[in-house]
Amino acid sequence: MFNNLATSNARSLSESVLLKRAIVVFDGGNRTLKWLDIDNRPRIIPAFIKQFEPGFDDPTPDDHSVVISAGDNHFCLGAVARDMRGTPVFQDNKCELAKKLVLAAIEPHPGSSAVVVQRLVIALPNSRNQADIAELKKVEGTHQFTRNGQRITAVVHEVKPIDETQAAYNFAMKRDLYRSKRQLNGVLDLGGGTGIGRLYSVGGSLIREADAILPGTYDLARRISARITPQLTNSPDLSQIMDGIERQDFTLGTSGFQFQKQFEICREQWLSDIRAELRSRWNQWMSEIGEVLVIGGSASLAEPLEEATKGRFKVARHSQIDRFPQLISLLGMTAG
Ligand SMILES: Nc1ncnc2c1ncn2[C@@H]1O[C@H](COP(=O)(O)OP(=O)(O)OP(=O)(O)O)[C@@H](O)[C@H]1O
Ligand SMILES: [Mg+2]
């Protein structure tokens, strides 16, 4: 009897351990959706969403795509959504979409169809925006949905929003990426949507008045578009311009049209606007600032800024982590 009880307790304990995920982290950006999978591996998929009609245009999941059905809501995310001409997240509101997008990251352990998520950490541009938080909090509770053909029951105990730059700052402080902890340090996030510049006090508090919203890669693409449109029959797709910058072939889709010259000019103007904006916004703290860590997928585009400021603006680098500037936020979200 006693033995039976012990065995059944042990079994339910091991079952609940199997179900439980202490933390799931998700960074749903304007251009890429990022999360750590069940094996703690970073996943990066294109930020596109497409509704579909089951039985009519069923998408197939792959390494860069996720297919979700939740009630009457059927949608796919990632490469397949892009290929099916879905909506790019940057054309929508990523905070409103977040509660759908985040389902991509909610994955049970292999062999299980249920998962209990203790803490779901979601990056937000401004974690003080009550409307955004209220939307995300709706994810707390029990969900039944199908993810890549697998029926899942998920219980999410707590949704924890975190400011996009905060996680990167935490990671940088923990790993001593800033030269000095006795000065103000900052983060400049050059993602796919708008850029964000933020400063943190010596004690690690966010200095709200120093918040700077800056033109991001999207804006850079718009500038390039304005220059090349007169030479084209249709105005170019901004996603394709951003893809060309990322591939560093500066070619527009399959057209073979090259925009490297326009890119160089626009990048210089874009960086000088960012610098001017930060100079005026951060004027009163200038003498106290140690370093500003440049993160986000487009961080490498700020290398001229790094040179011009003799390293005060420092592009995030890591010898062992591929795409580190794009992943640093995600990595910082797992701690604390
Ligand atoms: N090697 C590269 N060189 C230049 N740009 C790049 C490179 N790799 C990625 N990018 C650009 O980085 C952007 C994506 O970065 P990231 O994933 O940080 O954005 P996001 O988090 O989706 O956007 P946001 O934070 O603004 O919502 C894309 O616009 C892409 O063009
Ligand atoms: Mg981002």
Side-chain angles (χ1 to χ4, degrees), residues 32-82:
T32 60
L33 311 179
K34 301 170 277 286
W35 71 93
L36 294 180
D37 73 9
I38 197 90
D39 300 316
N40 246 354
R41 271 190 309 245
R43 295 282 309 270
I44 305 180
I45 67 170
F48 282 81
I49 180 163
K50 169 82 179 166
Q51 308 288 330
F52 69 90
E53 210 182 301
F56 176 65
D57 51 359
D58 293 289
T60 314
D62 59 39
D63 263 4
H64 293 98
S65 310
V66 177
V67 180
I68 306 273
S69 289
D72 293 337
N73 224 327
H74 309 278
F75 58 91
C76 56
L77 305 169
V80 72
R82 179 193 58 206

Side-chain angles (χ1 to χ4, degrees), residues 79-278:
V80 72
R82 179 193 58 206
D83 298 344
M84 287 168 75
R85 304 203 166 274
T87 313
V89 170
F90 71 79
Q91 278 177 13
D92 214 306
N93 179 334
K94 69 173 178 179
C95 298
E96 274 170 29
L97 281 176
K99 62 177 191 290
K100 279 186 179 172
L101 306 178
V102 75
L103 295 181
I106 300 182
E107 193 186 356
H109 290 282
S112 175
S113 64
V115 58
V116 176
V117 178
Q118 218 79 31
R119 214 161 192 235
L120 176 58
V121 187
I122 305 181
L124 274 185
N126 179 0
S127 72
R128 289 211 306 186
N129 185 322
Q130 293 305 323
D132 291 345
I133 293 177
E135 275 303 299
L136 287 181
K137 283 283 181 187
K138 290 183 187 160
V139 177
E140 288 176 355
T142 306
H143 303 263
Q144 279 185 319
F145 62 103
T146 306
R147 182 187 182 279
N148 292 349
Q150 184 193 13
R151 289 175 68 85
I152 294 174
T153 303
V155 180
V156 176
H157 281 306
E158 187 199 359
V159 168
K160 174 116 183 45
I162 182 168
D163 277 322
E164 279 174 356
T165 52
Q166 182 71 49
Y169 176 79
N170 294 352
F171 188 92
M173 286 301 274
K174 218 164 115 189
R175 302 290 184 95
D176 294 324
L177 300 190
Y178 291 116
R179 208 167 30 208
S180 166
K181 288 187 178 168
R182 283 186 302 247
Q183 282 181 293
L184 306 187
N185 287 304
V187 175
L188 170 60
D189 183 353
L190 298 176
T194 47
I196 310 178
R198 284 193 168 132
L199 291 182
Y200 292 85
S201 72
V202 176
S205 308
L206 174 62
I207 305 174
R208 286 273 173 197
E209 313 102 276
D211 269 17
I213 302 297
L214 303 156
T217 325
Y218 177 65
D219 184 78
L220 173 61
R222 235 178 359 208
R223 292 172 196 231
I224 296 170
S225 165
R227 278 180 183 261
I228 63 177
T229 299
Q231 297 163 56
L232 301 164
T233 33
N234 297 313
S235 59
D237 186 345
L238 295 180
S239 302
Q240 288 190 345
I241 296 180
M242 290 191 267
D243 289 346
I245 298 172
E246 181 171 343
R247 289 192 309 268
Q248 293 176 15
D249 63 11
F250 308 100
T251 305
L252 200 60
T254 50
S255 69
F257 184 88
Q258 284 270 333
F259 59 85
Q260 182 156 11
K261 217 177 69 217
Q262 292 87 346
F263 162 76
E264 302 291 352
I265 299 167
C266 293
R267 165 159 84 166
E268 214 177 296
Q269 291 174 351
W270 176 67
L271 286 177
S272 101
D273 284 359
I274 289 176
R275 204 174 170 192
E277 174 63 29
L278 287 178

